[in-house]
Structures are given as C-alpha cells and as structure tokens.
Amino acid sequence: MGEVVNLRRARKARARDAAETTAAANRAAFGRSKDERDAAAIESARHARTLDGAKRED
C-alpha cells in the first residue's frame, strides 16, 4: 500500500516550487545592470545583422 500524503503540504510544496522557478526566471531577466542589458542588446543587434546579411535572394 502507498504512503499517506498530506494534500495541504503537497499543494503548498508545489506552489513553493513554482514560485521559485518564477523567481529564478525573473532574477535572470531583471537582475542585470544597465551595462549588461546594453551589451546584450548590442550583441543581439549584431547577430540579427549577421543573419540578415547571410540571406539568399529568391
């Protein structure tokens, strides 16, 4: 027979895990300095220009 599970504890544990996942994503997205954000934007623009320059004409 299976182990007895307290459903309230399981629900709260699942909510804590979901909140931690969201918090980690927010730390990655918003926890950067302005210089880091600017550098990432410049790198993204450079990458987009490189891809656009490599396109073939139909």
Side-chain angles (χ1 to χ4, degrees), residues 3-44:
E3 185 178 335
V4 176
V5 176
N6 186 332
L7 296 177
R8 178 181 52 85
R9 285 185 184 164
R11 179 176 37 86
K12 287 187 175 186
R14 187 172 44 243
R16 277 193 301 271
D17 291 342
E20 178 58 33
T21 302
T22 303
N26 285 339
R27 281 193 299 269
F30 299 109
R32 298 183 297 167
S33 69
K34 185 173 182 178
D35 291 334
E36 290 173 335
R37 287 193 305 267
D38 291 343
I42 290 170
E43 180 66 21
S44 176

